[in-house]
Amino acid sequence: MSTIDSSSSMAGQRGPTEHGVRDQIVDAAREHFSRFGYGKTTVADLAKAIGFSKAYIYKFFDSKQAIGQAICTQTLEQVFAGGTAGLVEGKSASDKLRRFFNGIVTASAELFFEDKMLYDIAAHAAEERWPSVIAYMERAEETLKAIILAGREAGEFERKTPIDETCEAILLAMQSFMNPLMLKHNLEGLPEDPAKVINLVLRSLAP
Amino acid sequence: MSTIDSSSSMAGQRGPTEHGVRDQIVDAAREHFSRFGYGKTTVADLAKAIGFSKAYIYKFFDSKQAIGQAICTQTLEQVFAGGTAGLVEGKSASDKLRRFFNGIVTASAELFFEDKMLYDIAAHAAEERWPSVIAYMERAEETLKAIILAGREAGEFERKTPIDETCEAILLAMQSFMNPLMLKHNLEGLPEDPAKVINLVLRSLAP
């Protein structure tokens, strides 16, 4: 799986890029945040728990948020991978669009709501529009655009509406199942409710 | 303006229905909650502030939530009225649909986000699915259904999709601008973002 956006996933990171210690810190932070929560933990708590000095952690990450950002990037890569995993098997553009959103919603529900820590980080990220979230949304829009353009090419979708308008509106209509802050209030209706909106979206794309 | 649903707006209320004291308590509670917040206030605080005994308030409302429910019903009536106010001037079913959602979103943004107390009550109401919220959603669905049926009748909208499926999907696509818990994260994008989703909805209704 490729990196969502190396510049955004690297935000606030220091020192040599290819460094095993960086991964070690992120892994240890995941575990620590999972047990004690992201919000209340400080870099000092984390350093103590991992057995590194605070100064040593600051060699690699300039803040707790930079570590959160790295965890967020990893998680959003998994969500995006959930969306794209079934695309090759999609038999038509409509089928691909369905698979893409189903995959994203399923992965989001699993990742963000089975581990409270990941939800907390994602909530911070969505609220404060971290670069990893913006990069993820751009990537989702690109993939959606490619699916729709292929559908227009094949005569499966209408071609009148400007493509960017189409994509933006679809992402807005689907946001209550994609944005963890909103998905939180929609978990009960999975998977039927997003499927109903996807059907509406497909009707809106009809030529 | 008619009452959304008299049985739901009356939930938890006691004593004779047409009683000026009831309104007096609700008005005083609005003012008190506005200044001190809904969450933390108790019926005892409220009684003290209004200058009534707790026992006297309990003659009319069996809990703080019953008072919150009355305030919530009033507010949702205003939101609904915002949605229906411009309907008669709608020149087509599409125009009516646009006016309906624009009105609801505008009134929701004004009411829920200009007075934190109303947001707090609406957030409790949405989270706990108070009867007033369910009644409001049912009423919104009925109005939407009437608009769409008229549009189908006039040949303006497609007739293949079962009407209930159509209405439910539209309300789900629009929920991030209607549900205060989600609208909270979408205020920056008003009024353009809901307009984009309404355009998508109208494309989905095309015959």
Short mmCIF file of all heavy atoms in Angstrom, two decimals, chain A residues 127 129 158 161 165-166 168-170 172-177 179 181-182 184-186 188 192-194 196-197 199-201 203-205 207, chain B residues 127 129 158 161 165-166 168-170 172-177 179 181-182 184-186 188 192-194 196-197 199-201 203-205:
data_model
loop_
_atom_site.label_atom_id
_atom_site.label_comp_id
_atom_site.label_asym_id
_atom_site.label_seq_id
_atom_site.Cartn_x
_atom_site.Cartn_y
_atom_site.Cartn_z
N GLU A 127 -11.85 17.20 13.56
CA GLU A 127 -12.22 18.50 14.12
C GLU A 127 -11.20 19.57 13.72
O GLU A 127 -11.57 20.67 13.33
CB GLU A 127 -12.26 18.36 15.65
CG GLU A 127 -12.99 19.48 16.37
CD GLU A 127 -14.40 19.06 16.75
OE1 GLU A 127 -14.57 18.08 17.52
OE2 GLU A 127 -15.33 19.72 16.27
N ARG A 129 -8.96 19.31 11.30
CA ARG A 129 -8.54 19.13 9.90
C ARG A 129 -7.04 18.94 9.74
O ARG A 129 -6.35 19.74 9.12
CB ARG A 129 -9.00 20.32 9.03
CG ARG A 129 -10.52 20.36 9.02
CD ARG A 129 -11.09 21.51 8.23
NE ARG A 129 -12.47 21.67 8.65
CZ ARG A 129 -13.52 21.66 7.83
NH1 ARG A 129 -13.34 21.53 6.55
NH2 ARG A 129 -14.73 21.79 8.31
N GLU A 158 -24.42 9.92 -16.44
CA GLU A 158 -24.67 11.17 -17.19
C GLU A 158 -23.38 12.01 -17.28
O GLU A 158 -22.50 11.89 -16.44
CB GLU A 158 -25.80 11.98 -16.52
CG GLU A 158 -25.55 12.39 -15.07
CD GLU A 158 -25.01 13.81 -14.90
OE1 GLU A 158 -24.82 14.52 -15.92
OE2 GLU A 158 -24.75 14.20 -13.75
N THR A 161 -23.36 17.16 -15.71
CA THR A 161 -22.90 17.86 -14.50
C THR A 161 -21.38 17.92 -14.48
O THR A 161 -20.72 16.90 -14.72
CB THR A 161 -23.40 17.11 -13.25
OG1 THR A 161 -24.76 16.74 -13.46
CG2 THR A 161 -23.28 17.96 -12.01
N GLU A 165 -18.24 19.02 -9.40
CA GLU A 165 -19.49 19.24 -8.68
C GLU A 165 -20.10 17.90 -8.26
O GLU A 165 -20.55 17.73 -7.13
CB GLU A 165 -20.44 20.00 -9.61
CG GLU A 165 -21.62 20.64 -8.92
CD GLU A 165 -22.52 21.36 -9.94
OE1 GLU A 165 -22.00 22.05 -10.85
OE2 GLU A 165 -23.75 21.19 -9.83
N THR A 166 -20.10 16.96 -9.21
CA THR A 166 -20.64 15.62 -8.93
C THR A 166 -19.90 14.98 -7.76
O THR A 166 -20.53 14.51 -6.80
CB THR A 166 -20.50 14.72 -10.18
OG1 THR A 166 -21.26 15.31 -11.23
CG2 THR A 166 -20.99 13.32 -9.92
N GLU A 168 -17.94 16.27 -5.43
CA GLU A 168 -18.05 16.99 -4.16
C GLU A 168 -19.41 16.71 -3.51
O GLU A 168 -19.49 16.46 -2.30
CB GLU A 168 -17.90 18.49 -4.42
CG GLU A 168 -17.24 19.24 -3.29
CD GLU A 168 -17.30 20.74 -3.50
OE1 GLU A 168 -17.33 21.18 -4.68
OE2 GLU A 168 -17.36 21.46 -2.50
N ALA A 169 -20.47 16.75 -4.31
CA ALA A 169 -21.81 16.52 -3.77
C ALA A 169 -21.93 15.10 -3.22
O ALA A 169 -22.55 14.88 -2.17
CB ALA A 169 -22.86 16.77 -4.85
N ILE A 170 -21.35 14.13 -3.91
CA ILE A 170 -21.44 12.74 -3.44
C ILE A 170 -20.72 12.60 -2.10
O ILE A 170 -21.24 11.99 -1.16
CB ILE A 170 -20.84 11.75 -4.48
CG1 ILE A 170 -21.69 11.75 -5.75
CG2 ILE A 170 -20.73 10.35 -3.89
CD1 ILE A 170 -21.12 10.91 -6.89
N LEU A 172 -20.24 14.91 0.08
CA LEU A 172 -21.04 15.60 1.10
C LEU A 172 -22.23 14.75 1.53
O LEU A 172 -22.57 14.67 2.72
CB LEU A 172 -21.53 16.95 0.59
CG LEU A 172 -20.50 18.09 0.56
CD1 LEU A 172 -21.03 19.28 -0.25
CD2 LEU A 172 -20.13 18.53 1.97
N ALA A 173 -22.87 14.10 0.56
CA ALA A 173 -24.03 13.25 0.88
C ALA A 173 -23.60 12.04 1.71
O ALA A 173 -24.36 11.54 2.53
CB ALA A 173 -24.73 12.80 -0.39
N MET A 174 -22.36 11.57 1.48
CA MET A 174 -21.87 10.38 2.17
C MET A 174 -21.13 10.70 3.46
O MET A 174 -20.74 9.79 4.20
CB MET A 174 -20.94 9.57 1.25
CG MET A 174 -21.65 8.85 0.12
SD MET A 174 -22.87 7.62 0.71
CE MET A 174 -21.80 6.44 1.56
N GLN A 175 -20.90 12.00 3.73
CA GLN A 175 -20.03 12.35 4.85
C GLN A 175 -20.53 11.83 6.20
O GLN A 175 -19.71 11.52 7.07
CB GLN A 175 -19.79 13.86 4.92
CG GLN A 175 -21.01 14.66 5.34
CD GLN A 175 -20.69 16.12 5.61
OE1 GLN A 175 -19.58 16.46 5.97
NE2 GLN A 175 -21.67 16.98 5.43
N SER A 176 -21.86 11.69 6.36
CA SER A 176 -22.31 11.25 7.68
C SER A 176 -21.95 9.78 7.94
O SER A 176 -22.10 9.31 9.07
CB SER A 176 -23.81 11.51 7.89
OG SER A 176 -24.54 11.21 6.77
N PHE A 177 -21.46 9.08 6.90
CA PHE A 177 -20.98 7.71 7.11
C PHE A 177 -19.46 7.61 6.97
O PHE A 177 -18.90 6.55 7.13
CB PHE A 177 -21.65 6.76 6.11
CG PHE A 177 -23.15 6.88 6.13
CD1 PHE A 177 -23.84 7.53 5.11
CD2 PHE A 177 -23.87 6.37 7.20
CE1 PHE A 177 -25.22 7.66 5.15
CE2 PHE A 177 -25.25 6.49 7.24
CZ PHE A 177 -25.93 7.14 6.22
N ASN A 179 -17.16 10.58 7.95
CA ASN A 179 -16.54 11.39 8.99
C ASN A 179 -16.82 10.74 10.36
O ASN A 179 -17.99 10.61 10.74
CB ASN A 179 -17.14 12.81 8.93
CG ASN A 179 -16.53 13.74 9.95
OD1 ASN A 179 -16.16 13.33 11.05
ND2 ASN A 179 -16.46 15.02 9.60
N LEU A 181 -16.80 11.71 13.32
CA LEU A 181 -17.61 12.52 14.23
C LEU A 181 -19.10 12.37 13.94
O LEU A 181 -19.94 12.52 14.83
CB LEU A 181 -17.24 14.01 14.11
CG LEU A 181 -15.82 14.41 14.50
CD1 LEU A 181 -15.52 15.83 14.04
CD2 LEU A 181 -15.63 14.29 16.01
N MET A 182 -19.43 12.09 12.69
CA MET A 182 -20.84 11.92 12.31
C MET A 182 -21.22 10.44 12.30
O MET A 182 -22.31 10.07 12.73
CB MET A 182 -21.08 12.55 10.93
CG MET A 182 -20.73 14.02 10.90
SD MET A 182 -21.07 14.79 9.31
CE MET A 182 -20.00 16.23 9.44
N LYS A 184 -20.32 8.22 14.16
CA LYS A 184 -20.61 7.88 15.55
C LYS A 184 -22.12 7.83 15.83
O LYS A 184 -22.59 7.01 16.62
CB LYS A 184 -19.97 8.99 16.41
CG LYS A 184 -20.02 8.77 17.88
CD LYS A 184 -19.45 10.00 18.59
CE LYS A 184 -19.64 9.88 20.08
NZ LYS A 184 -19.24 11.11 20.78
N HIS A 185 -22.87 8.73 15.20
CA HIS A 185 -24.32 8.79 15.44
C HIS A 185 -25.11 7.92 14.46
O HIS A 185 -26.34 7.93 14.48
CB HIS A 185 -24.81 10.24 15.33
CG HIS A 185 -24.06 11.17 16.23
ND1 HIS A 185 -24.17 11.12 17.60
CD2 HIS A 185 -23.16 12.16 15.96
CE1 HIS A 185 -23.38 12.04 18.14
NE2 HIS A 185 -22.76 12.68 17.17
N ASN A 186 -24.39 7.22 13.59
CA ASN A 186 -25.05 6.45 12.54
C ASN A 186 -24.73 4.97 12.59
O ASN A 186 -25.08 4.24 11.65
CB ASN A 186 -24.63 6.99 11.17
CG ASN A 186 -25.49 8.16 10.74
OD1 ASN A 186 -26.70 8.13 10.95
ND2 ASN A 186 -24.88 9.17 10.16
N GLU A 188 -25.84 2.52 14.30
CA GLU A 188 -27.00 1.62 14.36
C GLU A 188 -27.58 1.30 12.99
O GLU A 188 -28.15 0.23 12.79
CB GLU A 188 -28.12 2.30 15.17
CG GLU A 188 -28.17 1.91 16.61
CD GLU A 188 -29.30 2.63 17.30
OE1 GLU A 188 -30.44 2.63 16.79
OE2 GLU A 188 -29.03 3.23 18.37
N GLU A 192 -27.35 -0.72 6.21
CA GLU A 192 -28.50 -0.37 5.35
C GLU A 192 -28.52 1.11 4.96
O GLU A 192 -28.75 1.45 3.79
CB GLU A 192 -29.84 -0.72 6.03
CG GLU A 192 -30.09 -2.22 6.23
CD GLU A 192 -29.34 -2.80 7.42
OE1 GLU A 192 -28.82 -2.00 8.24
OE2 GLU A 192 -29.24 -4.03 7.53
N ASP A 193 -28.32 2.00 5.94
CA ASP A 193 -28.48 3.43 5.67
C ASP A 193 -27.50 3.95 4.60
O ASP A 193 -27.94 4.62 3.66
CB ASP A 193 -28.40 4.25 6.96
CG ASP A 193 -29.66 4.09 7.82
OD1 ASP A 193 -30.63 3.48 7.33
OD2 ASP A 193 -29.67 4.57 8.96
N PRO A 194 -26.18 3.68 4.74
CA PRO A 194 -25.32 4.16 3.66
C PRO A 194 -25.69 3.54 2.31
O PRO A 194 -25.60 4.20 1.27
CB PRO A 194 -23.90 3.76 4.10
CG PRO A 194 -24.08 2.81 5.24
CD PRO A 194 -25.41 3.10 5.85
N LYS A 196 -28.64 2.92 1.24
CA LYS A 196 -29.76 3.70 0.70
C LYS A 196 -29.26 4.98 0.04
O LYS A 196 -29.77 5.40 -1.01
CB LYS A 196 -30.76 4.04 1.82
CG LYS A 196 -31.58 2.85 2.27
CD LYS A 196 -32.38 3.17 3.53
CE LYS A 196 -32.99 1.89 4.10
NZ LYS A 196 -33.43 2.05 5.50
N VAL A 197 -28.28 5.64 0.68
CA VAL A 197 -27.74 6.87 0.10
C VAL A 197 -26.95 6.55 -1.17
O VAL A 197 -27.02 7.29 -2.16
CB VAL A 197 -26.89 7.66 1.12
CG1 VAL A 197 -26.33 8.92 0.50
CG2 VAL A 197 -27.73 8.02 2.35
N ASN A 199 -27.60 4.18 -3.24
CA ASN A 199 -28.63 3.99 -4.29
C ASN A 199 -29.12 5.34 -4.82
O ASN A 199 -29.30 5.50 -6.03
CB ASN A 199 -29.82 3.19 -3.76
CG ASN A 199 -29.48 1.72 -3.63
OD1 ASN A 199 -28.57 1.22 -4.30
ND2 ASN A 199 -30.20 1.01 -2.78
N LEU A 200 -29.33 6.29 -3.92
CA LEU A 200 -29.76 7.62 -4.34
C LEU A 200 -28.68 8.25 -5.23
O LEU A 200 -28.98 8.84 -6.28
CB LEU A 200 -30.04 8.49 -3.11
CG LEU A 200 -30.54 9.92 -3.34
CD1 LEU A 200 -31.42 10.36 -2.17
CD2 LEU A 200 -29.41 10.92 -3.49
N VAL A 201 -27.43 8.12 -4.81
CA VAL A 201 -26.31 8.67 -5.58
C VAL A 201 -26.31 8.04 -6.98
O VAL A 201 -26.15 8.75 -7.99
CB VAL A 201 -24.97 8.42 -4.85
CG1 VAL A 201 -23.79 8.61 -5.78
CG2 VAL A 201 -24.85 9.33 -3.62
N ARG A 203 -28.81 6.81 -8.60
CA ARG A 203 -29.93 7.36 -9.39
C ARG A 203 -29.56 8.75 -9.92
O ARG A 203 -29.91 9.10 -11.05
CB ARG A 203 -31.21 7.44 -8.56
CG ARG A 203 -31.83 6.08 -8.25
CD ARG A 203 -33.28 6.18 -7.72
NE ARG A 203 -33.42 6.78 -6.41
CZ ARG A 203 -33.27 6.15 -5.25
NH1 ARG A 203 -32.94 4.86 -5.22
NH2 ARG A 203 -33.43 6.78 -4.11
N SER A 204 -28.80 9.51 -9.11
CA SER A 204 -28.42 10.86 -9.54
C SER A 204 -27.41 10.82 -10.68
O SER A 204 -27.23 11.80 -11.40
CB SER A 204 -27.83 11.65 -8.37
OG SER A 204 -26.47 11.32 -8.17
N LEU A 205 -26.73 9.69 -10.84
CA LEU A 205 -25.71 9.56 -11.89
C LEU A 205 -26.28 9.01 -13.19
O LEU A 205 -25.59 9.00 -14.21
CB LEU A 205 -24.57 8.65 -11.40
CG LEU A 205 -23.68 9.20 -10.28
CD1 LEU A 205 -22.77 8.11 -9.74
CD2 LEU A 205 -22.85 10.39 -10.77
N PRO A 207 -27.85 8.40 -16.73
CA PRO A 207 -27.81 9.29 -17.89
C PRO A 207 -29.21 9.79 -18.25
O PRO A 207 -30.18 9.18 -17.86
CB PRO A 207 -27.23 8.44 -19.01
CG PRO A 207 -27.15 7.04 -18.52
CD PRO A 207 -27.63 6.98 -17.10
N GLU B 127 -29.51 12.71 20.51
CA GLU B 127 -28.75 11.56 21.02
C GLU B 127 -29.69 10.52 21.62
O GLU B 127 -29.55 9.32 21.38
CB GLU B 127 -27.78 12.07 22.09
CG GLU B 127 -26.67 11.11 22.46
CD GLU B 127 -25.37 11.48 21.77
OE1 GLU B 127 -24.86 12.60 22.02
OE2 GLU B 127 -24.88 10.65 20.99
N ARG B 129 -32.96 10.35 21.15
CA ARG B 129 -34.18 10.21 20.33
C ARG B 129 -35.46 10.51 21.11
O ARG B 129 -36.31 9.63 21.31
CB ARG B 129 -34.26 8.81 19.70
CG ARG B 129 -33.10 8.64 18.77
CD ARG B 129 -33.06 7.31 18.08
NE ARG B 129 -31.71 7.14 17.56
CZ ARG B 129 -31.41 6.84 16.32
NH1 ARG B 129 -32.34 6.64 15.44
NH2 ARG B 129 -30.15 6.73 15.92
N GLU B 158 -39.14 11.17 -11.36
CA GLU B 158 -39.29 9.76 -11.76
C GLU B 158 -40.27 9.05 -10.82
O GLU B 158 -40.45 9.46 -9.68
CB GLU B 158 -37.93 9.06 -11.77
CG GLU B 158 -37.20 9.03 -10.43
CD GLU B 158 -37.37 7.74 -9.64
OE1 GLU B 158 -38.08 6.82 -10.10
OE2 GLU B 158 -36.81 7.66 -8.53
N THR B 161 -38.86 4.45 -8.36
CA THR B 161 -38.41 4.13 -7.00
C THR B 161 -39.57 4.21 -6.02
O THR B 161 -40.31 5.19 -6.03
CB THR B 161 -37.30 5.11 -6.57
OG1 THR B 161 -36.41 5.31 -7.66
CG2 THR B 161 -36.54 4.60 -5.38
N GLU B 165 -38.75 4.68 -0.04
CA GLU B 165 -37.31 4.52 -0.23
C GLU B 165 -36.69 5.87 -0.63
O GLU B 165 -35.65 6.27 -0.11
CB GLU B 165 -37.08 3.48 -1.33
CG GLU B 165 -35.68 2.95 -1.41
CD GLU B 165 -35.54 1.93 -2.53
OE1 GLU B 165 -36.45 1.09 -2.72
OE2 GLU B 165 -34.51 1.99 -3.24
N THR B 166 -37.36 6.55 -1.56
CA THR B 166 -36.88 7.86 -2.02
C THR B 166 -36.78 8.85 -0.85
O THR B 166 -35.74 9.48 -0.65
CB THR B 166 -37.85 8.42 -3.09
OG1 THR B 166 -37.87 7.54 -4.20
CG2 THR B 166 -37.43 9.80 -3.55
N GLU B 168 -36.74 8.34 2.43
CA GLU B 168 -35.79 7.96 3.47
C GLU B 168 -34.35 8.27 3.05
O GLU B 168 -33.56 8.81 3.83
CB GLU B 168 -35.94 6.46 3.75
CG GLU B 168 -35.66 6.08 5.18
CD GLU B 168 -35.61 4.58 5.37
OE1 GLU B 168 -36.27 3.85 4.58
OE2 GLU B 168 -34.91 4.13 6.29
N ALA B 169 -34.04 7.95 1.79
CA ALA B 169 -32.67 8.18 1.30
C ALA B 169 -32.35 9.68 1.27
O ALA B 169 -31.24 10.09 1.62
CB ALA B 169 -32.51 7.57 -0.09
N ILE B 170 -33.33 10.49 0.88
CA ILE B 170 -33.09 11.94 0.84
C ILE B 170 -32.82 12.47 2.24
O ILE B 170 -31.88 13.24 2.47
CB ILE B 170 -34.29 12.68 0.20
CG1 ILE B 170 -34.41 12.30 -1.28
CG2 ILE B 170 -34.14 14.20 0.35
CD1 ILE B 170 -35.65 12.87 -1.97
N LEU B 172 -31.64 10.82 4.73
CA LEU B 172 -30.31 10.34 5.17
C LEU B 172 -29.20 11.16 4.53
O LEU B 172 -28.21 11.51 5.18
CB LEU B 172 -30.14 8.85 4.82
CG LEU B 172 -30.86 7.85 5.71
CD1 LEU B 172 -30.83 6.46 5.08
CD2 LEU B 172 -30.23 7.81 7.11
N ALA B 173 -29.37 11.49 3.25
CA ALA B 173 -28.33 12.28 2.56
C ALA B 173 -28.26 13.69 3.13
O ALA B 173 -27.20 14.31 3.15
CB ALA B 173 -28.62 12.34 1.06
N MET B 174 -29.40 14.20 3.61
CA MET B 174 -29.45 15.57 4.14
C MET B 174 -29.20 15.64 5.65
O MET B 174 -29.14 16.73 6.21
CB MET B 174 -30.82 16.20 3.83
CG MET B 174 -31.04 16.55 2.37
SD MET B 174 -29.83 17.77 1.75
CE MET B 174 -30.24 19.22 2.75
N GLN B 175 -29.08 14.48 6.31
CA GLN B 175 -29.03 14.51 7.77
C GLN B 175 -27.85 15.30 8.32
O GLN B 175 -27.97 15.88 9.40
CB GLN B 175 -29.04 13.08 8.34
CG GLN B 175 -27.77 12.31 8.09
CD GLN B 175 -27.72 11.00 8.86
OE1 GLN B 175 -28.32 10.86 9.91
NE2 GLN B 175 -27.00 10.03 8.32
N SER B 176 -26.74 15.35 7.59
CA SER B 176 -25.60 16.07 8.17
C SER B 176 -25.84 17.57 8.22
O SER B 176 -25.07 18.30 8.85
CB SER B 176 -24.29 15.73 7.47
OG SER B 176 -24.44 15.69 6.10
N PHE B 177 -26.95 18.03 7.58
CA PHE B 177 -27.31 19.44 7.69
C PHE B 177 -28.58 19.65 8.51
O PHE B 177 -29.01 20.77 8.72
CB PHE B 177 -27.49 20.05 6.29
CG PHE B 177 -26.30 19.81 5.40
CD1 PHE B 177 -26.34 18.87 4.39
CD2 PHE B 177 -25.13 20.52 5.61
CE1 PHE B 177 -25.23 18.64 3.59
CE2 PHE B 177 -24.02 20.29 4.82
CZ PHE B 177 -24.06 19.35 3.79
N ASN B 179 -29.49 17.21 11.40
CA ASN B 179 -29.25 16.75 12.76
C ASN B 179 -28.23 17.70 13.43
O ASN B 179 -27.10 17.81 12.96
CB ASN B 179 -28.70 15.32 12.70
CG ASN B 179 -28.43 14.73 14.07
OD1 ASN B 179 -28.09 15.43 15.01
ND2 ASN B 179 -28.58 13.42 14.17
N LEU B 181 -26.32 17.49 15.89
CA LEU B 181 -25.04 16.87 16.27
C LEU B 181 -24.08 16.83 15.08
O LEU B 181 -22.87 16.83 15.25
CB LEU B 181 -25.27 15.44 16.78
CG LEU B 181 -26.09 15.28 18.05
CD1 LEU B 181 -26.48 13.82 18.24
CD2 LEU B 181 -25.31 15.78 19.25
N MET B 182 -24.63 16.75 13.88
CA MET B 182 -23.79 16.69 12.68
C MET B 182 -23.63 18.08 12.05
O MET B 182 -22.55 18.45 11.60
CB MET B 182 -24.40 15.73 11.66
CG MET B 182 -24.55 14.33 12.22
SD MET B 182 -25.23 13.16 11.03
CE MET B 182 -25.84 11.91 12.15
N LYS B 184 -23.38 20.76 13.44
CA LYS B 184 -22.31 21.40 14.21
C LYS B 184 -20.97 21.40 13.47
O LYS B 184 -20.19 22.34 13.56
CB LYS B 184 -22.17 20.60 15.52
CG LYS B 184 -21.22 21.16 16.52
CD LYS B 184 -21.13 20.22 17.71
CE LYS B 184 -20.07 20.70 18.69
NZ LYS B 184 -19.85 19.72 19.77
N HIS B 185 -20.69 20.31 12.75
CA HIS B 185 -19.42 20.19 12.05
C HIS B 185 -19.50 20.72 10.62
O HIS B 185 -18.54 20.61 9.85
CB HIS B 185 -18.97 18.73 12.02
CG HIS B 185 -18.89 18.11 13.39
ND1 HIS B 185 -17.98 18.50 14.33
CD2 HIS B 185 -19.67 17.18 13.99
CE1 HIS B 185 -18.16 17.82 15.44
NE2 HIS B 185 -19.19 17.00 15.27
N ASN B 186 -20.66 21.23 10.24
CA ASN B 186 -20.87 21.66 8.86
C ASN B 186 -21.23 23.12 8.72
O ASN B 186 -21.59 23.57 7.63
CB ASN B 186 -22.01 20.83 8.25
CG ASN B 186 -21.49 19.52 7.66
OD1 ASN B 186 -20.43 19.52 7.04
ND2 ASN B 186 -22.22 18.45 7.85
N GLU B 188 -19.51 25.82 8.70
CA GLU B 188 -18.65 26.60 7.79
C GLU B 188 -19.09 26.51 6.34
O GLU B 188 -18.89 27.45 5.58
CB GLU B 188 -17.22 26.04 7.84
CG GLU B 188 -16.32 26.76 8.80
CD GLU B 188 -14.93 26.13 8.79
OE1 GLU B 188 -14.38 25.92 7.69
OE2 GLU B 188 -14.43 25.82 9.89
N GLU B 192 -23.67 26.80 0.96
CA GLU B 192 -23.29 26.15 -0.30
C GLU B 192 -23.37 24.62 -0.24
O GLU B 192 -23.89 23.98 -1.16
CB GLU B 192 -21.85 26.54 -0.72
CG GLU B 192 -21.68 28.00 -1.10
CD GLU B 192 -21.57 28.92 0.11
OE1 GLU B 192 -21.40 28.40 1.23
OE2 GLU B 192 -21.70 30.15 -0.05
N ASP B 193 -22.85 24.02 0.85
CA ASP B 193 -22.77 22.56 0.89
C ASP B 193 -24.13 21.87 0.84
O ASP B 193 -24.33 20.96 0.03
CB ASP B 193 -21.95 22.10 2.10
CG ASP B 193 -20.46 22.36 1.92
OD1 ASP B 193 -20.06 22.74 0.79
OD2 ASP B 193 -19.69 22.17 2.87
N PRO B 194 -25.10 22.29 1.69
CA PRO B 194 -26.41 21.63 1.54
C PRO B 194 -27.01 21.86 0.16
O PRO B 194 -27.67 20.96 -0.39
CB PRO B 194 -27.27 22.27 2.65
CG PRO B 194 -26.51 23.45 3.15
CD PRO B 194 -25.07 23.20 2.86
N LYS B 196 -25.45 21.92 -2.61
CA LYS B 196 -24.85 20.94 -3.53
C LYS B 196 -25.53 19.58 -3.38
O LYS B 196 -25.75 18.88 -4.37
CB LYS B 196 -23.35 20.80 -3.23
CG LYS B 196 -22.53 21.99 -3.71
CD LYS B 196 -21.10 21.92 -3.21
CE LYS B 196 -20.38 23.25 -3.48
NZ LYS B 196 -19.15 23.39 -2.68
N VAL B 197 -25.85 19.21 -2.13
CA VAL B 197 -26.51 17.92 -1.92
C VAL B 197 -27.95 17.98 -2.45
O VAL B 197 -28.44 17.01 -3.04
CB VAL B 197 -26.45 17.49 -0.43
CG1 VAL B 197 -27.17 16.16 -0.24
CG2 VAL B 197 -25.01 17.37 0.03
N ASN B 199 -28.94 19.69 -4.98
CA ASN B 199 -28.81 19.52 -6.44
C ASN B 199 -28.64 18.05 -6.82
O ASN B 199 -29.24 17.58 -7.78
CB ASN B 199 -27.62 20.33 -6.98
CG ASN B 199 -27.93 21.81 -7.04
OD1 ASN B 199 -29.10 22.20 -7.09
ND2 ASN B 199 -26.90 22.64 -7.03
N LEU B 200 -27.83 17.35 -6.03
CA LEU B 200 -27.64 15.91 -6.28
C LEU B 200 -28.97 15.18 -6.12
O LEU B 200 -29.35 14.34 -6.93
CB LEU B 200 -26.56 15.37 -5.33
CG LEU B 200 -26.20 13.89 -5.45
CD1 LEU B 200 -24.74 13.67 -5.04
CD2 LEU B 200 -27.08 12.99 -4.61
N VAL B 201 -29.69 15.53 -5.05
CA VAL B 201 -31.00 14.90 -4.79
C VAL B 201 -31.93 15.16 -5.98
O VAL B 201 -32.61 14.24 -6.46
CB VAL B 201 -31.61 15.44 -3.48
CG1 VAL B 201 -33.09 15.12 -3.39
CG2 VAL B 201 -30.87 14.88 -2.27
N ARG B 203 -31.11 15.73 -9.05
CA ARG B 203 -30.68 14.89 -10.19
C ARG B 203 -31.19 13.46 -10.01
O ARG B 203 -31.59 12.81 -10.97
CB ARG B 203 -29.15 14.91 -10.35
CG ARG B 203 -28.59 16.25 -10.84
CD ARG B 203 -27.15 16.14 -11.33
NE ARG B 203 -26.17 15.88 -10.29
CZ ARG B 203 -25.62 16.80 -9.49
NH1 ARG B 203 -25.97 18.08 -9.61
NH2 ARG B 203 -24.72 16.46 -8.60
N SER B 204 -31.19 12.99 -8.74
CA SER B 204 -31.63 11.61 -8.49
C SER B 204 -33.13 11.45 -8.73
O SER B 204 -33.63 10.34 -8.89
CB SER B 204 -31.28 11.20 -7.06
OG SER B 204 -32.24 11.70 -6.14
N LEU B 205 -33.87 12.57 -8.70
CA LEU B 205 -35.33 12.52 -8.88
C LEU B 205 -35.74 12.68 -10.33
O LEU B 205 -36.92 12.49 -10.67
CB LEU B 205 -35.98 13.63 -8.03
CG LEU B 205 -35.92 13.45 -6.50
CD1 LEU B 205 -36.39 14.72 -5.79
CD2 LEU B 205 -36.76 12.26 -6.06
#
